[in-house]
Amino acid sequence: MARRSWAEPYRVKVVELIRVTTRGEREQAIAEAGYNTFLLRSDDVYIDLLTDSGTSAMSDQQWAALMVGDEAYAGSRSYYRFEEAVRAVYGYEEVVPTHQGRGAEHILSQILISPGDVVPNNMYFTTTRFHQEYAGGQFVDVIVDEAHDPQSLYPFKGNIDLDKLQAVIDEHGAERIPYVSFETNVNMAGGQPASMANLRAVHEHCQRHGIPVMLDATRALENAYFIQQREDGYAQRSIKDILREICSYSEGATVSSKKDNLVNIGGFLALRDAELARRARALLVAFEGLQTYGGMAGRDMEALARGIHEMVDSDDHVAARVGQVAYLGDLLHDAGVAIVQPVGGHGVFLDARRVCAHLPQEHLPAQALAAAIYVDSGVRGMERGIVSAGRDPETGEHHTPQLELVRLTLPRRVYTQAHMDVTAESVAAVAADAEQVSGLRFTYEPPELRFFQARFAPL
């Protein structure tokens, strides 16, 4: 008899109590937060799907690892265990520790990008693009067109379009391209993977032009799972093996360990070139910490080393993680809620353009929808649309992305299927009455990465 259902490959040992608030309390909380879910206090949130960054539950083995952390300022043995884990699982020889992924992005951008350079990316991510532009580079999107269509069922919407990439090379010259920034499981597209065939083809294309490929491998584990499930020739390969092959088609990677690696803080820059790593470590000391801790405590590195091995010890872990995301996506799809398809690896993305079709993009429909869902149930998601895209630094006009999304991101090993049921019921109820969602306007707008701290008011 075929197995009809599945369960998480772990059992609960410790619980954290969460509070159910009243609608009146939530209305007051969101108003005080300026209708920005980032500014809500976590005590006022029932089910927190703002992000999967640093919000995962650590295992008993990871908690035990904290107790053997070596807090030596220099030469910590915990660093060497962490370094061994990165080499064994990801396959990069040079490991530069950072406090989290954006620390790695900053250092990589500073050592490789010169003013006037052009950096092709498969869609932007907020902090990645900021660091590239802060270093004087110009971001250019070379992702396949399907990534901008939330209704497209193309299985690898994270792929780079080789014709677009070649057009950038032809226009600017390979010498002005310090590297190609290739994100695995593209966040802003809805957690969409790249195929192994595309990863390989992009790397070979770049090698012919002398251009390095640098991965954002933050969610490469989930990308490996989708390759296993969707790409010919990989069904019988282990996730661990597929992950190593993904990384082989690059000269380095930035990783926020707060996602795949199952820890609450940490990250790293991984490289193959020893000289490039030496330059990175020189900046590390100034901005993060010594080369054997890089902004992390010894206990954090111990938990991280364990988490890196744990995420690939069995394929069951990532299958359950992506499976829970798919479960929520299926509930919403069956309820008729417009979502990005196929459902991605780390969250379900609501298509606010379709859900709130009565609101023009300049009325910030995704921001408004995220606030309305919070008021309805205490479920916290986040905007991924015109607010996140920011403004053109030269014209001052809003960037107007085709995707106007609300992201419901699932922490790893934290919530049950019952929490997903509650979430789906709330989102479906808000979507069914979406014409009651009013647009928003800015009342405070920071000049950089505005979505973190901006404040809004109803129109």
Side-chain angles (χ1 to χ4, degrees):
M1 178 179 175
R3 187 169 68 178
R4 293 171 295 181
S5 60
W6 58 270
E8 292 83 353
Y10 52 84
R11 59 188 178 194
V12 176
K13 182 176 284 190
V14 177
V15 297
E16 176 187 357
L17 298 182
I18 53 179
R19 186 171 72 95
V20 182
T21 55
T22 67
R23 185 180 184 93
E25 288 173 328
R26 295 192 294 272
E27 288 174 343
Q28 180 179 348
I30 197 68
E32 291 176 353
Y35 295 85
N36 185 346
T37 54
F38 268 100
L39 300 181
L40 289 165
R41 292 179 178 232
S42 65
D43 285 347
D44 295 325
V45 175
Y46 176 39
I47 300 174
D48 201 346
L49 307 183
L50 182 79
T51 181
D52 61 335
S53 180
T55 56
S56 299
M58 292 203 302
S59 70
D60 55 350
Q61 296 298 309
Q62 287 179 288
W63 280 106
L66 293 177
M67 299 305 296
V68 296
D70 177 8
E71 305 303 339
Y73 185 87
S76 166
R77 63 176 173 271
S78 298
Y79 166 77
Y80 293 107
R81 271 196 275 270
F82 154 60
E83 180 186 60
E84 177 279 327
V86 173
R87 288 174 174 173
V89 174
Y90 288 91
Y92 300 104
E93 187 65 23
E94 303 290 341
V95 182
V96 182
T98 58
H99 77 285
Q100 62 184 79
R102 67 195 58 173
E105 292 171 349
H106 170 65
I107 290 172
L108 180 67
S109 299
Q110 291 295 315
I111 64 174
L112 286 183
I113 298 174
S114 299
D117 282 350
V118 174
V119 189
N121 292 244
N122 56 335
M123 199 172 280
Y124 80 99
F125 183 67
T126 51
T127 58
T128 310
R129 179 173 182 170
F130 172 82
H131 285 122
Q132 291 169 357
E133 293 179 342
Y134 186 71
Q138 176 189 345
F139 160 88
V140 180
D141 189 2
V142 291
I143 204 167
V144 293
D145 290 340
E146 290 87 348
H148 297 284
D149 179 2
Q151 298 182 70
S152 169
L153 296 178
Y154 187 65
F156 292 107
K157 292 162 85 170
N159 282 355
I160 283 177
D161 185 317
L162 286 170
D163 290 336
K164 291 182 182 179
L165 177 58
Q166 184 58 49
V168 176
I169 296 171
D170 290 342
E171 179 179 356
H172 299 280
E175 67 280 0
R176 297 305 301 175
I177 301 175
Y179 62 95
V180 169
S181 183
F182 200 156
E183 182 180 0
T184 53
N185 245 54
V186 179
N187 190 347
M188 301 298 282
Q192 301 297 320
S195 70
M196 193 72 82
N198 187 251
L199 286 154
R200 185 185 306 114
V202 168
H203 191 238
E204 291 173 353
H205 191 82
C206 288
Q207 282 187 315
R208 288 194 291 272
H209 291 277
I211 301 170
V213 173
M214 296 293 175
L215 298 182
D216 178 344
T218 293
R219 295 185 178 89
L221 183 76
E222 293 162 10
N223 202 118
Y225 175 79
F226 285 123
I227 289 172
Q228 185 192 64
Q229 298 299 307
R230 297 177 183 175
E231 192 162 356
D232 290 343
Y234 287 91
Q236 304 306 314
R237 299 267 297 275
S238 71
I239 296 296
K240 184 176 184 178
D241 185 36
I242 296 169
L243 177 60
R244 279 294 292 264
E245 185 178 348
I246 288 173
C247 295
S248 74
Y249 301 126
S250 70
E251 280 64 57
T254 59
V255 175
S256 171
S257 293
K258 298 166 67 175
K259 284 82 167 179
D260 280 350
N261 298 162
L262 301 169
V263 290
N264 306 127
I265 196 68
F268 58 91
L269 170 62
L271 297 164
R272 303 197 190 282
D273 184 84
E275 173 57 22
L276 202 59
R278 184 197 63 76
R279 292 171 56 196
R281 291 186 182 107
L283 283 185
L284 183 79
V285 175
F287 289 106
E288 297 276 321
L290 203 64
Q291 64 269 17
T292 52
Y293 75 90
M296 287 183 282
R299 55 185 174 272
D300 296 327
M301 292 188 286
E302 287 285 355
L304 174 51
R306 179 60 242 161
I308 290 171
H309 285 296
E310 207 167 271
M311 72 178 188
V312 293
D313 279 348
S314 167
D315 290 2
D316 291 342
H317 160 67
V318 69
R321 188 278 187 285
V322 178
Q324 190 177 49
V325 177
Y327 177 82
L328 176 59
D330 289 344
L331 289 176
L332 292 173
H333 181 263
D334 292 346
V337 179
I339 62 173
V340 172
Q341 294 184 285
V343 174
H346 67 292
V348 179
F349 289 64
L350 312 179
D351 186 355
R353 279 187 186 272
R354 287 188 286 158
V355 174
C356 297
H358 63 293
L359 295 178
Q361 193 172 27
E362 59 267 26
H363 291 177
L364 319 180
Q367 191 75 45
L369 180 58
I373 292 168
Y374 169 75
V375 169
D376 180 75
S377 61
V379 172
R380 173 161 69 167
M382 68 174 293
E383 184 268 1
R384 278 299 185 226
I386 188 172
V387 177
S388 292
R391 294 182 182 270
D392 186 304
E394 295 184 1
T395 67
E397 296 296 318
H398 291 292
H399 290 299
T400 54
Q402 291 177 250
L403 296 176
E404 182 72 18
L405 309 175
V406 172
R407 190 182 80 177
L408 303 173
T409 329
L410 275 60
R412 295 158 185 81
R413 307 189 297 201
V414 171
Y415 291 116
T416 67
Q417 305 298 64
H419 290 105
M420 299 302 100
D421 294 337
V422 170
T423 299
E425 290 169 4
S426 173
V427 173
V430 173
D433 201 23
E435 289 189 359
Q436 300 304 311
V437 176
S438 64
L440 298 173
R441 60 180 175 83
F442 281 95
T443 60
Y444 168 64
E445 182 182 353
E448 307 288 357
L449 297 173
R450 62 186 184 178
F451 64 95
F452 282 126
Q453 299 181 69
R455 301 181 74 88
F456 310 90
L459 287 167

